[in-house]
């Protein structure tokens, strides 16, 4: 499973789903926090990220504590997708 | 399950003149249905037509009522919350004074205390408006 491909897909999906019209995929660094600093998302946007993971990647987050860790950055989201797919 | 207009305040936190739902016609885990009649004293009237803002509020209140109704075992009072985002909004027409609109709300997703809901408002089976709402704090 190509984690780099997943990261690129996640960036494009986040931009599209959240309508981030001024941001390009290459502007989002893998390790940067997605919330507040970094990409500047707010807590409501977390819902959209959960939807992206389920809709496009077939993985679910139901636990809020896990969600905080997984939704930290593109890197953590992609690692979660890979780990879940390998289960 | 049906909740009539006289009891609606037991299911939503809003109060007059901001109540934009009359009756809850049905509510289950996937879909809520409500209706609402527009009177001449509605605060969201523009001329004799109800504004699209009121239709969005109607969807939000339908969500709040339905979510409380299906979660009554866990929640002791109507759920406070706010609209965190509106997307995929399409407005086709607006109802006028005297019309009764019917609203269908579909449960799409939940994460923590946030909900993604889709709402459709109809007048005599003709769709007036549809959108997705992100609701939080409920």
């Amino acid at each position: 499973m190509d984690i780099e491909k997943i990261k690129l897909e996640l960036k494009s999906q986040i931009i599209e789903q959240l309508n981030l019209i001024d941001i390009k995929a290459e502007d989002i660094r893998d390790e940067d926090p997605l919330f507040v600093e970094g990409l500047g998302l707010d807590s409501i946007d977390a819902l959209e990220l959960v939807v992206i993971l389920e809709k496009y990647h077939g993985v679910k987050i139901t636990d809020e504590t896990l969600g905080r860790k997984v939704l930290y950055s593109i890197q953590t989201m992609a690692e979660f997708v890979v780990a879940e797919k390998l289960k | 399950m049906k909740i009539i207009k006289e009891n609606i305040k037991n299911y939503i936190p809003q109060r007059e003149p901001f109540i934009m739902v009359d009756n809850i016609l049905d509510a289950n885990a996937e879909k809520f249905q409500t209706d609402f009649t527009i009177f001449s004293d509605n605060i969201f009237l523009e001329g004799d037509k109800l504004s699209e803002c009121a239709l969005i509020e109607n969807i939000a209140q339908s969500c709040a009522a339905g979510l409380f109704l299906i979660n009554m075992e866990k929640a002791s009072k109507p759920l406070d919350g706010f609209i965190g985002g509106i997307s995929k909004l399409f407005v086709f027409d607006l109802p006028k004074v005297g019309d009764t609109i019917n609203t269908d709300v579909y449960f799409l997703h939940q994460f923590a205390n946030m909900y993604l809901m889709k709402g459709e408002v109809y007048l005599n089976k003709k769709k007036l408006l549809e959108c997705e709402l992100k609701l939080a704090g409920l």
Side-chain angles (χ1 to χ4, degrees):
Chain A
M1 192 170 297
D2 186 349
I3 194 168
E4 295 305 319
K5 183 167 174 273
I6 293 171
K7 284 192 265 189
L8 269 177
E9 288 173 352
L10 284 169
K11 290 175 186 178
S12 298
Q13 290 153 357
I14 289 170
I15 288 169
E16 185 184 344
Q17 195 85 10
L18 295 175
N19 201 24
L20 305 175
I21 50 177
D22 295 329
I23 293 177
K24 295 174 183 165
E26 54 265 34
D27 297 333
I28 306 173
R29 292 189 295 186
D30 297 350
E31 308 282 351
D32 280 355
L34 293 171
F35 294 90
V36 189
E37 49 189 308
L39 198 54
L41 304 184
D42 61 33
S43 58
I44 295 287
D45 295 322
L47 179 61
E48 298 278 12
L49 301 186
V50 172
V51 172
I52 287 170
L53 286 174
E54 187 168 335
K55 184 175 171 184
Y56 296 109
H57 301 277
V59 295
K60 276 189 179 184
I61 298 177
T62 50
D63 178 69
E64 195 176 346
T65 308
L66 175 66
R68 286 180 192 278
K69 291 179 187 169
V70 171
L71 304 179
Y72 180 76
S73 67
I74 291 292
Q75 182 69 33
T76 56
M77 287 180 73
E79 286 172 357
F80 178 72
V81 171
V82 171
E84 288 295 298
K85 295 271 188 184
L86 291 175
K87 275 185 181 174
Chain B
M1 185 181 297
K2 185 169 181 173
I3 304 299
I4 59 170
K5 181 178 180 179
E6 285 69 26
N7 295 328
I8 193 68
K9 284 192 279 190
N10 295 329
Y11 296 85
I12 57 174
Q14 288 82 9
R15 293 294 178 261
E16 297 94 348
F18 206 68
I19 294 176
M20 297 292 145
V21 169
D22 286 339
N23 304 290
I24 306 172
L25 306 176
D26 195 18
N28 59 53
E30 288 88 34
K31 182 181 178 184
F32 316 140
Q33 293 178 290
T34 64
D35 68 10
F36 181 58
T37 299
I38 297 132
F39 291 103
S40 59
D41 60 351
N42 191 295
I43 60 171
F44 285 108
L45 281 177
E46 292 176 354
D48 69 339
K49 293 212 165 184
L50 193 67
S51 74
E52 52 269 58
C53 297
L55 297 184
I56 294 167
E57 181 60 26
N58 165 260
I59 292 172
Q61 292 185 18
S62 299
C63 292
L67 287 168
F68 178 54
L69 203 51
I70 64 170
N71 287 296
M72 282 188 76
E73 288 176 6
K74 290 179 264 180
S76 58
K77 65 180 182 62
L79 305 158
D80 290 327
F82 62 90
I83 299 172
I86 302 165
S87 60
K88 299 175 185 171
L89 171 67
F90 295 94
V91 182
F92 306 105
D93 204 353
L94 297 171
K96 60 182 188 311
V97 173
D99 287 339
T100 296
I101 56 175
N102 286 84
T103 301
D104 295 344
V105 171
Y106 299 89
F107 186 97
L108 299 182
H109 222 94
Q110 177 187 3
F111 176 62
N113 66 338
M114 294 173 281
Y115 298 82
L116 182 63
M117 313 288 290
K118 180 179 182 180
E120 298 174 343
V121 181
Y122 293 87
L123 174 63
N124 300 326
K125 297 186 179 176
K126 179 191 170 194
K127 190 184 286 183
L128 300 180
L129 178 146
E130 69 175 50
C131 67
E132 286 185 7
L133 293 184
K134 279 187 280 186
L135 302 173
L138 293 166

